[in-house]
Amino acid sequence: MTRTYIADAAKTPGAKVLVQGFVDNLRDSKYMAFIVLKDITGRIQITVEKEKLPGLCDTISQLTPDSVISVTGTVIENEYVKMGGVEIIPEDIQIESIADALPIARKAIPATRKKKAVERSSIDQRIDYRWIDLRTDENQLMIQVQTVMVNSMRQYLLDHHFVEIHTPKLIGAASESGADVFEVKYFDRSAYLAQSPQFYKQMAMASGLERIFEVGPVFRAEKSYTNRHTTEFTGFDLEFSYITSYQDVMDLEAELLTHMLKEVKEKYGEQIQEAFGKEVIVPTLPFPTVDLHTLYDELEKNYGYVVDESEKNDMTTEAEQLSYKWVQEKYGHEFLFVTGFGPEKRAFYHMRDENGIPMGYDLVWRGVEITTGAQREHRYEILKKQAAEKGLGDDIKFYLEFFKYGCPPHGGFGLGVDRMTMLLLDLGIKDAMFLFRGPNRLTP
């Protein structure tokens, strides 16, 4: 018999179905047993009258919370059943797997007259048993939301003449600045895990592919212990040719994110509000833009936030956080493009204007930077000079070769899928990923 998802089974009273899932709750008394069965689509009650179904009693006595079972039975309408007014009267229950007592508390359990309160296990304890922690409604919704996020952005780009590429993650030279990379043994020499697909995205521009994107792993050897940093994450990167300025890049990103949030809100907005208490806000276009030095002036004028002049060529974490308050008060918006960063804080491949200012931006969402984007320098001699200024030589010789034989003007950006999930659902980064990686975390 073909399996039926619980959400579909609940819509077919009178039908005989096979449903499968985890035992979410179990009440086993002398004459009756009630099993709440959960799969990825929902829950349904399995009701057993023991006198009528004596052959199932031994099976039910073996069950524990989170055991996996297959149930064949008939869907019956019952107005007294709280879960959708339907239940399944089983004719057969097969045990697929018996669960031991769970080693973590996935949620806090309030005290009753008979039992003490149970505290929720810490995030690190829950990551030790992440496969168990992921069974909660919130975590499964998080993964479903992330799926829609990525798919909607991918489809938007496909509809706008982009193609998807898959770049190497093992590379022979440290990418970008040469810092924060993991070195690995590669036969008789060293290799590195890519901290960005940047060089290969630009190679694609030199290849004439014109518009490309990639969704893949990114590695950063940073010993950061914040609630938003991780040593491995999923990047959503894109690059496109024949732009006239970095404004084209900003415009595309704003349209892409607006499209994505609209789709997320339509499909999961109500569930996100219920599970996480967070409204999905679809932004208006265009996104507000501010020069970095103007932003610092505004933060000082409005909130008394002062930084030393030496720090004003980059954005501090505190400035990021305050910028959210400022952009909401001034524009009623959640997003803010910040431009005008100093060249010492930008990558060598960012194109610079006549004053030497990099032609790029950061995008801040809800007080956290989610993107650094730019128009890239595509002219070989200028790019070679800018690389030399940063002290980069033989390690990027292969990259500079991409620009010797013709390359169109281009630009792009990258987004961290996990960080966007974190901000959308108001989580810490460890909760917002399928499985977190950090300086002290390599398992499971």
Side-chain angles (χ1 to χ4, degrees), residues 343 352-359:
R352 301 174 190 173
D353 66 15
E354 63 275 9
N355 299 313
I357 302 300
M359 299 171 70

Side-chain angles (χ1 to χ4, degrees), residues 149-211:
M149 288 171 60
V150 172
N151 187 62
S152 64
M153 291 192 293
R154 173 184 274 118
Q155 192 58 54
Y156 178 89
L157 295 179
L158 292 175
D159 291 342
H160 287 78
H161 309 294
F162 279 74
V163 294
E164 186 169 6
I165 63 172
H166 306 282
T167 63
K169 303 307 165 203
L170 278 171
I171 56 177
S175 54
E176 301 201 23
S177 66
D180 300 330
V181 292
F182 289 108
E183 184 176 351
V184 297
K185 182 174 174 56
Y186 192 74
F187 301 108
D188 59 345
R189 58 194 185 278
S190 291
Y192 305 89
L193 296 178
Q195 65 175 171
S196 163
Q198 184 59 45
F199 288 176
Y200 294 111
K201 290 195 300 177
Q202 292 186 259
M203 189 185 95
M205 299 300 94
S207 303
L209 289 173
E210 295 197 8
R211 292 180 158 229

Side-chain angles (χ1 to χ4, degrees), residues 257-267 280 282-283:
L257 291 174
T258 300
H259 172 82
M260 178 271 286
L261 288 167
K262 183 173 182 289
E263 290 213 351
V264 169
K265 186 177 183 72
E266 287 175 356
K267 186 153 189 178
V280 179
V282 179

Side-chain angles (χ1 to χ4, degrees), residues 12-129:
T12 58
K16 183 177 178 179
V17 295
L18 166 64
V19 290
Q20 298 174 298
F22 289 89
V23 174
D24 191 60
N25 198 5
L26 173 65
R27 284 187 294 139
D28 186 12
S29 63
K30 184 175 181 181
Y31 300 108
M32 299 287 294
F34 301 94
I35 302 166
V36 176
L37 190 68
K38 177 183 183 294
D39 70 12
I40 192 68
T41 68
R43 293 172 172 78
I44 199 164
Q45 179 173 295
I46 315 298
T47 303
V48 182
E49 291 187 54
K50 292 185 173 181
E51 189 176 352
K52 293 182 179 179
L53 298 164
L56 298 181
C57 293
D58 181 58
T59 299
I60 293 168
S61 69
Q62 299 176 56
L63 296 180
T64 58
D66 280 51
S67 294
V68 179
I69 59 175
S70 298
V71 179
T72 304
T74 303
V75 182
I76 302 294
E77 290 184 305
N78 184 341
E79 61 180 303
Y80 297 105
V81 175
K82 294 179 181 178
M83 286 176 290
V86 296
E87 61 188 348
I88 292 178
I89 306 301
E91 60 184 57
D92 183 56
I93 299 175
Q94 292 292 326
I95 296 174
E96 308 295 350
S97 175
I98 292 291
D100 284 353
L102 300 185
I104 55 171
R106 293 172 292 207
K107 293 185 179 182
I109 303 172
T112 66
R113 284 182 296 177
K114 295 182 178 180
K115 293 183 180 179
K116 293 182 179 180
V118 176
E119 289 187 9
R120 189 185 191 194
S121 298
S122 71
I123 179 59
D124 288 313
Q125 289 172 317
R126 286 184 282 119
I127 291 177
D128 287 340
Y129 297 93

Side-chain angles (χ1 to χ4, degrees), residues 236-285:
F236 193 106
D237 283 85
L238 65 85
E239 204 81 15
F240 61 113
S241 292
Y242 302 108
I243 66 172
T244 56
S245 79
Y246 66 96
Q247 184 66 51
D248 295 340
V249 183
M250 293 162 64
D251 290 345
L252 178 66
E253 181 166 18
E255 291 165 10
L256 177 71
L257 291 174
T258 300
H259 172 82
M260 178 271 286
L261 288 167
K262 183 173 182 289
E263 290 213 351
V264 169
K265 186 177 183 72
E266 287 175 356
K267 186 153 189 178
Y268 290 117
E270 290 182 8
Q271 289 171 257
I272 290 171
Q273 181 72 61
E274 183 179 342
F276 297 100
K278 200 73 178 173
E279 182 184 0
V280 179
I281 297 174
V282 179
T284 55
L285 294 170

